[in-house]
Amino acid sequence: MDNETAEQAPPEVRQVAARFLPAAEAASLTIQKPPTIGFSGAAVWLLSPADGSPRYVLKQLPAGLPPDQIGWTHLLAQHLARVGVSTQLPLRAGIHPLTQAGHVAIDRQGRLWQCLSYLPGRPIATPTSAEVLAAVTTLATVHRAASEFVQPPPLPRPTGWQTRVLQLEQLAVAGFPRPPAEPAGQADGQAAWPELASISQRANECFFATGGPQLAARLAAQTFPRPLQPVLRDCWWAHLLFEPAPGGSRVSGIIDLDAAGIDTPAVDLARLLGSWQLEAGDPEISLVERWPAAFDCYVSLCRPAGDFPTDVQLLHDTAVVCGLDRWLHWLFREQRNFADFSRVTCRIQALLRALPAALARLQRVSTAGCQLRRPQLTPQNYDR
């Protein structure tokens, strides 16, 4: 981290840092962008002392995310830390905190920020079997601890399945979003437009050729079973960090809990294992066939009810369909801009590759008479 990079940080970033840290410390820290940025485009800065080792992460809150919801995820992170799960713990805002927990501050432009402890480690896109097993063991620890976190979130939010139902209803009528006549937005987005338009066309050809509208309608008419509890909801491979350990790697922590909420634990395992499968580019095999030891480990630790591997696979396959729909909706209907359109295109291409196998598995499940039952609440009686 050199001084030239630090000087590129807007002055208000250091001013925001001073809302969480002593003024002298905030003034002495080097401020630098992380090596990679997320898809949301929200500002993220690493704060480091003279030795260059990051100590804090300063993050702008995603647009539309209420401060009270972030306060709840901070309390959840602190609860997980008490049972040994490493997450990014929040620093208190010393000036005008916006939540009861006091961990969100506002800058002069009205934007909301949080400051978190930095976690060492790196994400692994293509893990070994041992690394997958370590990750699933950590996730089981998270779920067991989170099931005892009794404070309800401040606002009701739809579960992953409830969100999918709304998308499936639209897909049953119109298929995947199609591009408008003229591209809009930034130059690199326009450059990617032909490829994105081709992806939309191929996705719709696959969807309609395999009876996708009828399948989507059948799935949308169902409700997903299983108890609900606090879960991570965005636990994909880039949010799980590893560091070297004797004999291999160990999980060093979990980052970015902003999406945490009330849902079925199966959604976290589907998100994590599904993200690794998408990276590997081999969507034909089911998740439990690829990682049987990981499923055995999770089931032995958490004792989930019902046919848990089938639930996880169902959530992954519908996430492929609905994830592709969501990305095309953002691009073609909302015409969003993204910090790195090449990464966006790669993500959408991966979903397109996974689409035929996901649709085939969903067709088998739906035609076999699998009925998804109404959700049951955990003893904490979270109000949905």
Side-chain angles (χ1 to χ4, degrees), residues 15-173:
Q15 294 167 2
V16 170
R19 296 177 180 268
F20 295 94
L21 301 167
E25 182 180 9
S28 68
L29 292 171
T30 298
I31 302 177
Q32 186 178 20
K33 283 285 190 182
T36 59
I37 56 176
F39 287 105
S40 70
V44 180
W45 299 92
L46 299 181
L47 312 181
S48 307
D51 64 3
S53 302
R55 181 173 295 173
Y56 309 109
V57 179
L58 192 65
K59 293 178 59 179
Q60 183 184 340
L61 298 192
L65 191 59
D68 285 346
Q69 176 64 28
I70 288 294
W72 182 82
T73 63
H74 289 165
L75 293 175
L76 175 61
Q78 292 165 345
H79 172 81
L80 295 176
R82 286 193 287 270
V83 296
V85 177
S86 295
T87 64
Q88 293 176 294
L89 295 177
L91 278 66
R92 290 188 62 85
I95 304 176
H96 309 304
L98 295 183
T99 68
Q100 183 178 3
H103 299 130
V104 176
I106 187 170
D107 67 14
R108 293 176 181 177
Q109 286 73 43
R111 297 167 299 193
L112 305 181
W113 295 80
Q114 55 183 326
C115 190
L116 306 165
S117 59
Y118 176 82
L119 286 184
R122 63 181 183 89
I124 297 177
T126 53
T128 65
S129 297
E131 288 164 343
V132 171
L133 190 61
V136 170
T137 301
T138 298
L139 189 57
T141 302
V142 167
H143 288 165
R144 293 175 64 180
S147 68
E148 300 173 352
F149 182 64
V150 297
Q151 180 166 337
L155 297 173
R157 302 168 73 190
T159 66
W161 185 257
Q162 289 168 338
T163 300
R164 286 172 175 77
V165 165
L166 297 177
Q167 291 183 259
L168 291 165
E169 290 173 345
Q170 291 296 317
L171 281 164
V173 174

Side-chain angles (χ1 to χ4, degrees), residues 150-219:
V150 297
Q151 180 166 337
L155 297 173
R157 302 168 73 190
T159 66
W161 185 257
Q162 289 168 338
T163 300
R164 286 172 175 77
V165 165
L166 297 177
Q167 291 183 259
L168 291 165
E169 290 173 345
Q170 291 296 317
L171 281 164
V173 174
F176 291 101
R178 295 168 174 81
E182 294 292 334
Q186 58 206 60
D188 54 347
Q190 295 181 21
W193 203 260
E195 175 63 20
L196 295 171
S198 174
I199 289 173
S200 170
Q201 179 179 348
R202 285 178 284 164
N204 275 299
E205 289 173 352
C206 176
F207 186 69
F208 285 100
T210 58
Q214 296 80 9
L215 169 64
R218 288 196 301 272
L219 291 170

Side-chain angles (χ1 to χ4, degrees), residues 313-328:
Q313 188 67 52
L314 179 64
L315 286 167
H316 167 65
D317 289 334
T318 52
V320 167
V321 177
C322 293
L324 185 56
D325 172 70
R326 181 175 61 252
W327 277 106
L328 295 176

Side-chain angles (χ1 to χ4, degrees), residues 9 25 58 88 102 104 135 143 151 155 185 191 197 236 239 250 267 289 293 307 320 342 346 350 374 383:
E25 182 180 9
L58 192 65
Q88 293 176 294
V104 176
H143 288 165
Q151 180 166 337
L155 297 173
W236 65 298
H239 289 169
R250 61 176 291 274
V267 79
E289 290 172 327
D307 187 352
V320 167
S342 63
C346 288
R374 186 172 302 279
D383 183 9

